[in-house]
Each structure stands twice: as C-alpha cells, then as structure tokens.
Amino acid sequence: MNDLATWQEDKLPEVEKQIEDFIKTHTANEQLQESMLYSINAGGKRIRPLLLLATVAAFGKNITKQAYQVAAALEMVHTYSLIHDDLPAMDDDYLRRGQATNHVVFGEALAILAGDALLTSSFELVAEIKLEATSKNRLLHLLAKSAGASGMIAGQVRDIQSEQEQLSFSELTALHQKKTGALIRFAVVGGGILADQSERVLSQLDNFASYLGLAFQIRDDLLDELATTEKMGKKTQKDSAAGKNTYPALLGVEQAKAALTTQLAQARKILANLSFNDFDPTLLQEMIQLFELERGSQ
Amino acid sequence: MNDLATWQEDKLPEVEKQIEDFIKTHTANEQLQESMLYSINAGGKRIRPLLLLATVAAFGKNITKQAYQVAAALEMVHTYSLIHDDLPAMDDDYLRRGQATNHVVFGEALAILAGDALLTSSFELVAEIKLEATSKNRLLHLLAKSAGASGMIAGQVRDIQSEQEQLSFSELTALHQKKTGALIRFAVVGGGILADQSERVLSQLDNFASYLGLAFQIRDDLLDELATTEKMGKKTQKDSAAGKNTYPALLGVEQAKAALTTQLAQARKILANLSFNDFDPTLLQEMIQLFELERGSQ
C-alpha cells in the first residue's frame, strides 16, 4: 500500500479494461469506436480515476468492480472534454501527450461525435453498474453536475470568454474550480460515496479535493510555462500566446510556485485532520506528491 | 382529450417551463445559458415530449411534474443533437426553423459547449426528479443508451460516413432506426415506464415507436425534397446536393410516400391491438396524424 507506483500499476489496468470493455460492447459503429478508443489510449496519468480509487481504499474498503466502473466513467468524461477542448473552434491543438489530437486523425465531425459519445457512454456505464439504486443515482447526479453547465462546461466557457481579458486571482480561481476542479472533486467525493461515507465526511473530502484541484491547475500552468514542447508532448507556452489567463502570467513563476505549495499544504492539513475508524490517509498523502511540480507531466 | 391541438396547447407550456427553469437554475454562466435557451426557444413541434406525455396519458395516468421533467430532458437531448448536427464540420447549416443556427449566432466554440451542456443537463435533470430510485435509474439508462454510441450518435456517424455512398433500403432504415428512431422510441417507452407498465407492454410500445420513428424520417426526407426554403425555414434539397442518402432519392417520391403510408398503417395496427385496462389509444392515434405528409413541417 505504501508504494504508490506499485499500487498504480496494480489498479490502472483494471480501469482501462473497464473503459475498453464498455466501449467495445456498447458502440454500434466501428469508426466511432476507433475514434473513442484512440483518445482513451493516448495515455495520461489517469489522475482522476486513481484519486477515486485511492479514496475508496483510504476508508479501508476493497476496490470493487463497481469502483473501477465509476473510475472508468470519470476518465471517459475527462477524455471527452480533452477531445472537444482540442477542436479548431476551441484551443486548436494538434498535439496532446505527444500524439496527434483526435480531430487531426479522424476529422472534426467524428471528433465532435466521439466526444459526445464518451460523455453519453459515461452515464450509460454508471447506470449499468450493479449498485444500490440510491447510491447509483447519487453518483450519476454528481457526475452530471460536476461535468455540466454549473461545473466543468461553465469553467470552459469562462476560460474562452476571458481570453484577452485580465482576470484577478479570485476570478481565475473561480474559473478553475469549475474547469479543472469539478471533476477532481467528483473523484474524491465519488470515492467517498462508494465507501458509504456520511455527509459530514463527504463535505470534508470535497474541501480537500478543492485544494487539490487548484494545485493541479497551477502546476499545469507552470509546466506549460516552463517546459519545452518535446518534454510535454504538446505545444507549450501556447496559453500565454493565446492571451489566456494563467497563474504564472498573473503572479509570476515564483509566486505561482508558492501558491502551488500553499494549496498542497492546505490539502495535507485537511487530510491529516480526517480521523475516522479505518481511515488511512497514507495513499492519498502519497498521491498529493503527484501534484508537485517536480513529479513530471500528467 | 380528443382535440389534439387543445391538448398540445395545454401541455407544451409546462414542458417548456421545466426546461427553462432547469437551465436558468443550473447554468453558472450567462452566455452559456443564453446560447442553450436560444436553441431551446427556436421552436419546433416538440414531437418527442408530446409523444412521451401522450403515452403516459394513454394509460389513464395523470401527467405529473415528473413526466414533464422527463419530457423536458428528452427535448434537451434532441436540441443538443440539432446544435451539433448544424455545425460547420457536420451539416454546416446556417438556418433552422427560420432562424440562424446556434453557431452562427454564438460562434462555434460556444455552440459546441451549449450542446455539451444541454446533453449533460438532461442527465442532471432526470437524476434530480423525485421518483422511485429504480424507475429513475431505468429512465436514465434508457436515455443514455438511446442518445449514445449504440443509438443516436451511431446513426449520425453512419449518416456522415455514407455520404457519396449508395445505401440499400435496409441499410438506410438501420441508420435511421438509430439516428432518428432511438429518441422517438425513448419517448414512447419512457412514457410507458412512467406509467409503470410491464416489460411485455414496454416491448409492444417499442415496436409501435419503431414504425413511428421511421415514418418521421421518411416524412422529413419528403418534406426536404418537396418544400421550398421559405416554407421549411431551412435550406432544402440540401440532402441530395450533399450526396446524402434519403428515402425519396432511393425510392423515388411516390414510393417514398407509399413507404410512409405503410409505416403509419403498421403503427396504427399495433396501437389498435394494444388492449389493456384503462388504455385509451385515441390520443396516440391522433398523434400519428402529425407524422403524415400533409400536416406541415416539424
């Protein structure tokens, strides 16, 4: 349990298997399936499903097939958002994780539809999980809310609107609490729901995840600012060129690093204060290290 | 109950109110909200929510707030599909129902996101309905399945793939059973679920709706072939110009009209054979008339 790398290597293949199995058995068009799987298999650290599974494990619960399936659905929602964000009408990115983006390979029409299909399939997948109906509805509702018009999508709209506009620290933070934060909060709170935790615990988990989500975005901005295209596997320093608001642009690199450190310290503090029966914060504490600047790209 | 026009006028405002209320209370960005409501309020006959409500009513059930909410979610899914279908990368339509399409007014980025938001919000809405958890889960699952990678989206992908390719009658029918048929089947079967019907009844309703769905598409193709731009409020004869497969192009206008008549006769026949306690087919029989060629555009 203490070795995060080993734990990841053990858990991630099952998440990926659940995604692949679902797409292969629930997609009635070969090219659509190929396009969906292309972006799913384009890699990434799978930070959201890992956070969800680590939260379940922190409460001393076994990671059931049901937990893997919710983690799989979450990664499908994240992947849909990347496909749509990369479109020419949005960020117009041709590289992600060192590979051509979906629309470059499959064309814009299919990329839009593969994104739509991953989003829809995520709800179809959660609806099919063998889980008590009330918990399942709760997970479905939280997933839709997190991904939707008051969550991730609202953040993405705000991000586009605010190009060429100077946001304050609190405005930028509000934007990213939605754009990046909402799905990271779903990961942790969803894990808590799967572990049958009380409202009080879920609310503390949500608070923990808010700091993590913000840390994730500050780190992502810093990596974009500091790294070279080769290392990141995507075009970098593109955000500042596009007039996008980023933490380093707003605060300077050093202050942005300090803000990242602050967010992570807050997250650690909340975690240390969570003391329930059978709760073991070790794995989540280790996961926080993944949000530090020096741990390499996501 | 016998006067369909009066019945519609009575029910539709409540469907529209449920959609507006949900979007206004669940969208955390003003421009996103405006873009979503623009397409919702662009009109249309609301054939899907009407079919759902008429099915509930046919079983002698009151139309509850819950039924209006499911009907609202269904119309939101339909509206998302129109916004994405109209995009430049897809059908590249600048007019729909006599109004500029969403991306023409709000730009492509916001149109993509408004579509994503309507889709996600539809699941969020169903998840919030005060309904017994198992029925709610069933509705959520069927909605996702109907809209998703083995339903509507698979049909849309096939439609794009088959441009410049000659489909047979059965291939074209398989395409439209997904593209148009899946949501129409959801309307009728979803109404049956809301009316607490058995699997056997739901299966007969599904069969009835399959004929209706196909009739809808044949009629739509015929209207496109026969009508002028002015009357339809959108560009017409565009399908054949784009090399799209349509029933009139495949069968000729007269044979396509005959095929439409056949589908509707089949639908009527199934309906006449449905005899359950408290089941009154009158309203659904009247609704079939909306699928006839001479009843004007949808």
Side-chain angles (χ1 to χ4, degrees):
Chain A
M1 278 285 280
N2 272 333
D3 187 346
L4 183 62
T6 309
W7 187 83
Q8 282 187 48
E9 273 172 40
D10 187 43
K11 305 303 173 203
L12 276 189
E14 186 60 28
V15 175
E16 286 158 359
K17 181 180 180 302
Q18 290 298 333
I19 300 175
E20 285 219 17
D21 283 357
F22 191 84
I23 291 175
K24 286 183 175 166
T25 52
H26 290 72
T27 308
N29 182 288
E30 211 173 312
Q31 217 190 332
L32 176 62
Q33 187 179 119
E34 199 191 328
S35 171
M36 292 164 80
L37 288 173
Y38 174 83
S39 290
I40 288 291
N41 292 328
K45 284 261 175 83
R46 315 285 193 205
I47 202 89
R48 292 160 193 79
L50 279 175
L51 260 180
L52 186 143
L53 299 177
T55 306
V56 173
F59 287 100
K61 306 276 181 179
N62 287 329
I63 298 183
T64 57
K65 183 179 178 187
Q66 286 82 342
Y68 283 117
Q69 288 174 309
V70 178
L74 175 57
E75 187 68 8
M76 286 160 74
V77 173
H78 171 60
T79 305
Y80 123 78
S81 77
L82 299 182
I83 296 175
H84 281 194
D85 284 5
D86 286 339
L87 287 167
M90 306 268 220
D91 289 349
D92 196 15
D93 272 316
Y94 54 84
L95 268 184
R96 178 172 292 275
R97 296 164 185 161
Q99 292 190 44
T101 47
N102 197 295
H103 65 272
V104 170
V105 179
F106 296 95
E108 269 185 73
L110 199 59
I112 294 167
L113 291 164
D116 293 345
L118 283 166
L119 174 62
T120 314
S121 295
S122 74
F123 297 112
E124 193 180 350
L125 169 52
V126 178
E128 289 186 13
I129 297 176
K130 283 188 173 46
L131 205 61
E132 187 271 316
T134 308
S135 298
K136 184 153 72 175
N137 279 329
R138 182 160 191 188
L139 287 163
L140 262 166
H141 180 237
L142 189 60
L143 184 60
K145 194 179 165 186
S146 305
S150 61
M152 183 174 69
I153 295 174
Q156 174 68 4
V157 173
R158 190 75 194 100
D159 197 24
I160 291 171
Q161 286 171 336
S162 64
E163 283 175 24
Q164 318 302 339
E165 178 190 333
Q166 177 79 53
L167 296 185
S168 68
F169 182 78
S170 70
E171 288 169 330
L172 186 58
T173 298
L175 184 167
H176 285 303
Q177 284 288 13
K178 295 185 188 303
K179 186 180 170 173
T180 327
L183 283 196
I184 287 175
R185 285 162 68 188
F186 174 84
V188 176
V189 178
I193 293 171
L194 283 160
D196 291 320
Q197 295 304 303
S198 68
E199 294 309 314
R200 190 175 63 86
V201 177
L202 295 181
S203 152
Q204 288 172 280
L205 290 175
D206 193 43
N207 195 16
F208 162 69
S210 293
Y211 288 107
L212 266 195
L214 206 53
F216 184 88
Q217 187 59 47
I218 298 172
R219 179 174 178 280
D220 201 56
D221 284 357
L222 277 164
L223 288 172
D224 182 80
E225 184 70 26
L226 300 171
T228 67
T229 300
E230 193 185 1
K231 198 171 164 197
M232 289 286 286
K234 63 177 179 181
K235 282 194 286 178
T236 55
Q237 299 188 303
K238 206 190 158 223
D239 290 345
S240 41
K244 283 216 173 186
N245 289 275
T246 70
Y247 287 99
L250 182 67
L251 305 173
V253 167
E254 289 314 309
Q255 282 302 309
K257 284 181 180 175
L260 172 57
T261 304
T262 305
Q263 300 304 318
L264 294 178
Q266 287 290 339
R268 283 196 174 88
K269 194 173 143 194
I270 294 171
L271 209 53
N273 287 334
L274 290 176
S275 56
F276 318 108
N277 288 339
D278 299 323
F279 183 78
D280 179 355
T282 318
L283 194 60
L284 285 171
Q285 295 282 16
E286 284 200 48
M287 280 211 71
I288 292 177
Q289 294 171 26
L290 292 176
F291 293 76
E292 284 169 356
L293 198 56
E294 54 273 21
R295 285 292 292 252
S297 78
Q298 294 311 323
Chain B
M1 279 286 282
N2 272 332
D3 188 346
L4 182 62
T6 309
W7 186 83
Q8 282 187 46
E9 275 171 38
D10 187 44
K11 304 303 172 206
L12 276 189
E14 186 60 28
V15 175
E16 286 159 359
K17 182 179 180 301
Q18 290 298 332
I19 300 175
E20 284 220 17
D21 283 357
F22 191 85
I23 291 175
K24 286 182 176 167
T25 53
H26 290 71
T27 308
N29 183 287
E30 210 172 313
Q31 217 189 335
L32 176 62
Q33 189 180 116
E34 198 191 330
S35 171
M36 292 164 81
L37 288 173
Y38 174 83
S39 289
I40 289 291
N41 292 328
K45 283 264 176 77
R46 316 287 192 200
I47 203 88
R48 293 159 192 79
L50 280 175
L51 261 179
L52 185 142
L53 298 177
T55 307
V56 174
F59 288 100
K61 306 275 182 180
N62 287 328
I63 298 183
T64 57
K65 182 178 178 187
Q66 286 83 342
Y68 283 116
Q69 289 174 309
V70 178
L74 174 56
E75 188 67 8
M76 286 160 74
V77 173
H78 172 59
T79 305
Y80 123 78
S81 77
L82 299 182
I83 296 175
H84 282 193
D85 284 7
D86 287 338
L87 287 167
M90 306 268 219
D91 289 349
D92 195 14
D93 273 315
Y94 55 84
L95 268 184
R96 176 171 294 273
R97 296 165 185 159
Q99 293 190 42
T101 47
N102 197 294
H103 65 273
V104 170
V105 179
F106 296 95
E108 270 185 72
L110 198 58
I112 294 167
L113 291 164
D116 292 345
L118 283 165
L119 174 62
T120 314
S121 295
S122 74
F123 296 111
E124 193 180 350
L125 169 52
V126 179
E128 288 187 11
I129 297 176
K130 285 189 171 46
L131 205 62
E132 187 271 315
T134 309
S135 297
K136 180 151 77 176
N137 193 255
R138 183 158 190 191
L139 287 163
L140 265 166
H141 180 236
L142 189 61
L143 184 60
K145 194 178 164 186
S146 305
S150 62
M152 183 174 69
I153 295 174
Q156 174 67 4
V157 173
R158 190 75 194 99
D159 197 24
I160 291 171
Q161 286 171 335
S162 64
E163 282 175 25
Q164 318 301 339
E165 178 189 334
Q166 176 78 55
L167 297 186
S168 68
F169 182 78
S170 69
E171 288 169 330
L172 186 57
T173 298
L175 184 168
H176 286 302
Q177 284 288 13
K178 295 185 190 302
K179 186 181 171 175
T180 327
L183 284 196
I184 288 176
R185 286 162 68 187
F186 175 84
V188 176
V189 178
I193 293 171
L194 282 160
D196 291 322
Q197 295 305 303
S198 69
E199 294 308 314
R200 191 176 62 84
V201 177
L202 296 180
S203 150
Q204 288 172 280
L205 290 175
D206 192 45
N207 196 14
F208 161 69
S210 293
Y211 288 106
L212 267 195
L214 206 53
F216 184 88
Q217 187 61 46
I218 298 172
R219 178 174 179 280
D220 200 55
D221 283 358
L222 277 164
L223 287 172
D224 182 80
E225 184 71 27
L226 300 171
T228 66
T229 299
E230 195 184 359
K231 197 171 162 196
M232 289 286 284
K234 62 178 179 180
K235 282 193 287 179
T236 55
Q237 299 190 303
K238 202 187 162 223
D239 291 347
S240 42
K244 283 216 175 186
N245 288 275
T246 70
Y247 286 99
L250 182 66
L251 305 172
V253 168
E254 289 314 309
Q255 282 302 307
K257 284 182 181 175
L260 171 57
T261 304
T262 305
Q263 300 303 319
L264 293 178
Q266 288 289 339
R268 283 197 175 88
K269 195 172 144 194
I270 294 171
L271 208 53
N273 287 334
L274 290 176
S275 56
F276 317 109
N277 288 340
D278 299 322
F279 183 77
D280 179 356
T282 317
L283 194 60
L284 286 170
Q285 295 283 16
E286 283 199 48
M287 281 212 71
I288 292 178
Q289 293 172 24
L290 293 177
F291 294 75
E292 284 170 356
L293 198 55
E294 55 274 22
R295 286 291 292 252
S297 77
Q298 294 312 321

